[in-house]
Amino acid sequence: MDTLTFFQTTLPPTGIYYLATISKPKKGIKKPSQTIHYAYSSLEELVQGVEKHSANTSVNLFHACGSYLYESVMVDGNKAYRKQENWSEAKALWVDLDCGQEKFDGGAGYIDQDAAREGILEFCTIANFPTPIIVNSGNGIHCYWSFTSSIPAAKWVALARLFKQVLAHHNVLADDSCTADFARILRPVGSFNNKSDTPKPVTCELEAELIRPSLILERLKALALEADLKPEVIRSYSPSINSDLMVPIVQIPTSAEEVAKHCNQIKRVAETQGDVSRPIWFAAMGLTTFCEEGMNIAEKWTEKRGETGHADTDYQIRFTSWGGGPPLCAKFETDNPKGCEGCLHRGKINTPLVLGRAAKAVQITTGTKQSLEAVERPPLFLPDKNGNGRPFGTTANVKAVLEHEGVTARYNQMTKELEIIVPDVSSVPDESSNSNQTAALDLLTTYGVPY
């Protein structure tokens, strides 16, 4: 498969496409890598861009896996490219399988590429899932399940999050920051992996048939049901002039350094300047994207990562490609259980991020019980907003509102329906479902989240 065929197979036929070059760090010179985006309006132009930039061995070349609306957008007064406000469509699901001793030892990847290929193909066989396009990225393996037609970004996110849950259940060691990240960049076929001194070609090893998105969805639903997984309810969003009618939400400034004072997981990242496991460092980089210090603190928390034996030091890639909400406490505890032992906030908050903006509203009483007393409830944080600060109707925002208000949303296996329970809502039994749903929608309206 050549580069043009690869793009025609995995990318939507129309839209804006991106290539991104990231400069290689020079030995002995402490200088942050530089990321440059290049926009193209056709797949043929995109191929020409790959040919042009692949000749430069001082950079690593990546392509955006989805299509975008514009060449660039303004977000919070800054020029941006792969931000959610600019997402358009996708024509494939993708997975990044990391390889190497460090990834293998940390349970975050496979010992080598052969093991990675075997792992993903074994999943496809056991789960009766379509075989993917397999790309040798030089050091790892990339997999694509390409569609017969493109789907909107919001629908892709719903599909990809379900796919991520299924992969985790089947113990596929995929990079969990990649699978459901619409803004992901990966190495295109026809380019070179220039991480080491000797460039390694990026090639397609296995081609596969296109799949109807509806068939993928039905298979994933069946696999989720078999595994008793609880897929997230994703409401599509459509930024439009109607957004101007929504109530604006005032976001409270957040300090990463303040988070580090109250969260032991983040404190260790800060104190060691990156000498932590790969999943914990990834999550910490994601947290910095929501903080006032921005990329500067991401760089600071990575300064000693290379010299302490870690291969992943590309904080710029992790910072710019983070497409989800704030990393959750559950994520940190899963990846490093001991790091959450003795935490006074355990079970009281969902993400360490709130500790950087609501610390003054929380009082800690030490002693035998080490109880946590909240003087006032931490403010609501809505992660997904447009350039004017108004929230989108994304799953992350809906979930944030429901959790903040103590709303229970669950799937009833008996009735095969979604149950919603809103505190303090009373009604006659026959009208309970409608009353609770109406109350939940009222809460979304109150916080300006469209539905």
Side-chain angles (χ1 to χ4, degrees), residues 231-295:
E232 295 182 74
V233 178
I234 310 290
R235 293 183 181 271
S236 62
Y237 66 90
S238 179
S240 66
I241 191 170
N242 295 326
S243 300
D244 295 332
L245 304 177
M246 297 300 172
V247 180
I249 301 298
V250 179
Q251 299 296 339
I252 298 177
T254 305
S255 167
E257 293 184 340
E258 187 68 25
V259 175
K261 294 178 182 177
H262 303 280
C263 171
N264 288 334
Q265 300 271 20
I266 298 300
K267 181 179 180 181
R268 175 149 181 80
V269 177
E271 289 182 344
T272 65
Q273 294 180 286
D275 185 18
V276 294
S277 70
R278 184 171 181 261
I280 295 297
W281 178 71
F282 274 15
M285 294 300 99
L287 184 138
T288 64
T289 65
F290 297 91
C291 299
E292 289 183 302
E293 300 93 336
M295 194 178 292

Side-chain angles (χ1 to χ4, degrees), residues 21 87 107 121 156-157 172 195 200 249 287-288 300 418:
T21 59
W87 292 357
L121 293 177
W156 182 92
V157 170
V172 176
K195 264 193 172 182
K200 300 177 181 178
I249 301 298
L287 184 138
T288 64
K300 184 177 180 180
L418 178 68

